Amino acid sequence: MPAARALLRTEDPTNVGTVLVADCLEMVEILISQDAKLYSTVLEAQNKRLETLEKAPQSPLRDYSSAQLRLHQAVLQVVFEHEVQGAWNLRQAYQQMQGVSKRYPGFLPARKSLGMLEFAIGSLPEGYRWFLRLLGLSGSVESGLQHLRAAAQRPHDFQLESQLILALVEETYYRRSNETTQLVTRLAAQQPDNLLVNFLVISQNKKLHRTDHALAAFRTRPTGSSYLPVAYLHHMAADLLLYQGQFAASERENLRFLQLYRGSTTARPLLSSFIWRPGWGQTLGC
């Protein structure tokens, strides 16, 4: 994170790409830490970024970034229990992303985000549909998967993200756990410095009860000052060690989790569900 911020400081702060990357950085930090003290500051910064985007010349990236920032705001507001504002921003983000996809059908990042939203809304249980109708939102699992597959199969700056979201969505919907595990394991071998992919390797092997594989990935995860401390990794490791009967080691990892965790007790638990399990309205992308 410090290195990324240092690079951003050398870029034009009004550049659309710089605005989007800066917002993604802040989103990653607050969603991983769940630090409620950052909430107001991040929302204020997002509003300023949206104003900057409004002044930029129209382009696919400008329009996509504006819709994506609205989606980020919606996620934050729901996580930190401002559901009404979050629902309104979700509606705006969805409508904006639909507009971007229609204006620029070949712009694959928009299809990635739109597909994610359509799948999430379309796969919600029937009991939530009345709420969606009030918001004027409609989703489709089939349409969402179609958009995601197009974004995952063709090269663009967000292809890796598209591939991961599609794999997790298909796992959720089609129960393709083995295929998803093979994908993230292959990606981890190709990108050993990618902590997100490492997290998914641990999570997938844990779901499949492959405790040894999950713990091996945890122990070889990339570490250092360049990475945000991910407290939830230690909680996952504690569970895995508990399964193996390593009680003292499990306790140490849980204590480490408690030392690192900065989240509010009122914030919705995120790392175990919101980021990493697409479907049922629990997906986030940059």
Side-chain angles (χ1 to χ4, degrees):
M1 294 293 284
R5 286 198 166 91
L7 284 173
L8 277 179
R9 284 195 290 271
T10 67
E11 301 293 330
D12 178 2
T14 65
N15 178 272
V16 170
T18 304
V19 171
L20 177 60
V21 172
D23 201 71
C24 285
L25 275 175
E26 286 197 350
M27 283 293 292
V28 168
E29 183 174 15
I30 190 171
L31 293 180
I32 287 179
S33 70
Q34 296 189 57
D35 189 346
K37 296 190 295 293
L38 299 175
Y39 175 66
S40 297
T41 302
V42 172
L43 280 185
E44 183 179 348
Q46 286 176 330
N47 287 330
K48 290 179 179 177
R49 291 186 188 113
L50 285 168
E51 292 175 1
T52 299
L53 290 174
E54 287 178 6
K55 298 173 184 176
Q58 186 176 25
S59 69
L61 183 60
R62 194 284 302 264
D63 294 352
Y64 165 77
S65 298
S66 180
Q68 195 68 36
L69 261 67
R70 285 290 180 200
L71 178 58
H72 290 177
Q73 282 196 330
V75 170
L76 280 188
Q77 287 163 335
V78 171
V79 168
F80 290 97
E81 299 192 330
H82 294 91
E83 289 91 347
V84 175
Q85 300 97 312
W88 178 251
N89 272 320
L90 176 62
R91 181 177 184 271
Q92 287 187 298
Y94 185 49
Q95 291 177 339
Q96 282 183 250
M97 202 65 75
Q98 283 181 313
V100 177
S101 187
K102 288 177 181 177
R103 285 193 299 276
Y104 313 107
F107 189 69
L108 295 174
R111 296 191 68 179
K112 176 265 300 179
S113 294
L114 180 61
M116 181 178 66
L117 286 166
E118 285 187 341
F119 178 88
I121 293 169
S123 62
L124 276 171
E126 189 63 35
Y128 291 92
R129 297 296 171 87
W130 66 270
F131 179 66
L132 296 176
R133 284 194 290 269
L134 283 176
L135 290 175
L137 296 175
S138 60
S140 165
V141 168
E142 291 75 18
S143 177
L145 287 171
Q146 183 179 0
H147 285 304
L148 282 170
R149 285 169 183 153
Q153 291 167 1
R154 291 153 58 188
H156 60 101
D157 290 341
F158 297 87
Q159 186 180 22
L160 175 60
E161 181 184 337
S162 304
Q163 290 172 338
L164 290 174
I165 292 171
L166 176 63
L168 293 170
V169 160
E170 290 187 328
E171 179 198 4
T172 298
Y173 200 65
Y174 296 117
R175 301 289 187 264
R176 294 178 177 171
S177 296
N178 287 319
E179 292 89 338
T180 301
T181 304
Q182 290 170 8
L183 171 65
V184 297
T185 300
R186 184 174 71 252
L187 290 172
Q190 295 169 354
Q191 303 181 33
D193 61 343
N194 191 322
L195 185 57
L196 168 61
V197 176
N198 177 271
F199 180 99
L200 292 172
V201 172
I202 299 169
S203 177
Q204 287 301 120
N205 280 290
K206 184 172 182 282
K207 290 178 190 175
L208 294 172
H209 308 291
R210 298 172 180 170
T211 306
D212 289 338
H213 289 81
L215 282 171
F218 171 75
R219 289 168 179 146
T220 58
R221 71 193 185 280
T223 58
S225 59
S226 297
Y227 297 91
L228 281 173
V230 182
Y232 192 71
L233 279 168
H234 297 278
H235 184 53
M236 291 172 68
D239 279 351
L240 293 163
L241 291 163
L242 188 62
Y243 300 157
Q244 291 190 336
Q246 299 187 51
F247 303 119
S250 176
E251 181 181 17
R252 284 195 297 272
E253 292 298 339
N254 262 329
L255 287 173
R256 183 61 177 152
F257 164 71
L258 292 172
Q259 289 169 352
L260 292 173
Y261 184 67
R262 291 183 286 161
S264 166
T265 56
T266 61
R268 300 190 186 283
L270 192 65
L271 281 174
S272 60
S273 60
F274 205 97
I275 295 179
W276 314 119
R277 290 187 194 167
W280 299 289
Q282 295 178 325
T283 317
L284 168 69
C286 286

